[in-house]
Amino acid sequence: MTIIACTIDAIEPLTPTVNRVLLTPLTPISYQSGQYLQLCLSEEDKRPFSIASHEGSLQIELHIGAAETDQYSSQALAHLQQLFAAKQPVLTEIGLGEAQLRTDSVRPLILLAGGTGFSYIYSIAQTLAKQNIQRPVSAYWGVRDVEALYHHPEMQQWASSNQHFKFIPVVQNPTADWAGRTGLVHQAVLDDFASLADYDIYIAGPFAMAGVVREAFLQHGAERENMFCDAFAYI
Ligand SMILES: Cc1cc2nc3c(=O)[nH]c(=O)nc-3n(C[C@H](O)[C@H](O)[C@H](O)COP(=O)(O)OP(=O)(O)OC[C@H]3O[C@@H](n4cnc5c(N)ncnc54)[C@H](O)[C@@H]3O)c2cc1C
């Protein structure tokens, strides 16, 4: 895989624990919505992050969760902050993964994100919105706390302007004033669909969630070849 140097244009907080990182590749690149890149912390240490921007975008957006307890992300963010301060580019590998949006399918879609897995479904949702696709889309985003729903208004706006697009945020630990869905995000999908047999399902989130979802959705009728999730390769 070719190493691509990218300028770091911005690092800005989306929530107290999630940062948006904007990169511009210094050489022409292409990627598909739903793919990821690897940040090269060193020659041996490369960490995957979903690309939040849609294919064709010249600037690449990442959403990096950086809770202190999450070394995987916080070390990657520290690496980026150090390079940003020194005005140096970051090395990346771009356009990885097998879970990109299949535009040749006619099946309805379920997009399922846990936490920062939202980055992945955000990229796919943007492409679907741009292409004005007529396939029904149900986008589920599960978070532990309401404050983690950083693009909530934007997703709601898409949903209200497109009759085929549903957005369902699911909060695990709701506050008293949360009127939406609660619990684990995959359970909301299981509750809403009698069978998943007819759907293309795109999944991103913590590895533990991916494992649980794979088993539960297969038992609920999903076809393995219509489930797309790069985390499956890691578990
Ligand atoms: C290809 C690839 C791409 C990646 N991209 C990114 C990225 O863009 N940004 C990033 O920060 N990290 C990324 N990672 C790393 C990793 O996936 C994230 O650290 C992880 O998704 C972070 O989850 P979270 O802490 O935000 O979710 P959490 O806050 O832990 O969970 C969010 C929700 O997920 C569901 N959930 C969580 N655990 C379970 C469970 N055990 N069972 C059922 N449901 C559960 C619940 O609904 C929960 O509310 C990537 C990893 C890979 C392999």
Side-chain angles (χ1 to χ4, degrees):
M1 177 51 75
T2 314
I3 300 282
I4 305 285
C6 300
T7 55
I8 304 169
D9 304 327
I11 302 176
E12 54 203 25
L14 289 164
T15 75
T17 56
V18 180
N19 282 271
R20 184 208 322 258
V21 175
L22 298 175
L23 307 175
T24 300
L26 292 170
T27 46
I29 49 104
S30 68
Y31 61 89
Q32 294 172 272
S33 289
Q35 288 194 308
Y36 65 89
L37 61 64
Q38 295 206 113
L39 293 177
C40 306
L41 275 59
S42 71
E43 227 167 273
E44 300 78 34
D45 187 354
K46 300 177 183 179
R47 302 194 187 185
F49 290 94
S50 298
I51 299 174
S53 35
H54 57 87
E55 62 193 56
S57 168
L58 295 179
Q59 195 175 46
I60 290 182
E61 177 173 338
L62 305 176
H63 300 167
I64 299 191
E68 271 172 36
T69 46
D70 177 4
Q71 300 234 321
Y72 171 94
S73 296
S74 58
Q75 288 170 354
L77 185 68
H79 178 73
L80 286 162
Q81 283 167 330
Q82 205 176 11
L83 294 171
F84 186 49
K87 296 189 168 49
Q88 286 178 0
V90 63
L91 300 183
T92 64
E93 293 175 347
I94 298 175
L96 301 166
E98 303 294 333
Q100 71 276 8
L101 175 64
R102 270 62 173 176
T103 48
D104 54 350
S105 170
V106 293
R107 280 183 290 276
L109 298 102
I110 295 172
L111 312 181
L112 176 71
T116 53
F118 176 74
S119 175
Y120 167 78
I121 69 162
Y122 185 57
S123 170
I124 291 176
Q126 287 176 87
T127 295
L128 292 169
K130 277 185 181 306
Q131 294 177 347
N132 200 19
I133 278 177
Q134 304 298 304
R135 296 158 66 192
V137 181
S138 302
Y140 289 79
W141 183 15
V143 290
R144 290 183 192 271
D145 304 299
V146 179
E147 298 73 43
L149 293 170
Y150 45 85
H151 277 324
H152 193 191
E154 191 177 340
M155 294 295 281
Q156 276 183 325
Q157 157 71 21
W158 280 348
S160 56
S161 62
N162 184 336
Q163 56 168 329
H164 301 294
F165 191 88
K166 281 193 202 147
F167 173 54
I168 306 105
V170 183
V171 178
Q172 198 175 341
N173 308 312
T175 46
D177 57 351
W178 174 251
R181 305 287 291 273
T182 59
L184 295 176
V185 63
H186 77 285
Q187 190 58 51
V189 175
L190 296 173
D191 292 344
D192 290 353
F193 295 87
S195 165
L196 297 172
D198 296 332
Y199 293 85
D200 283 350
I201 308 172
Y202 292 85
I203 303 157
F207 293 139
M209 185 200 88
V212 168
V213 167
R214 183 168 55 187
E215 293 318 307
F217 281 16
L218 287 172
Q219 281 182 23
H220 210 67
E223 301 286 347
R224 178 61 191 88
E225 65 269 26
N226 299 334
M227 292 169 74
F228 308 103
C229 177
D230 281 320
F232 288 169
Y234 291 78
I235 56 177

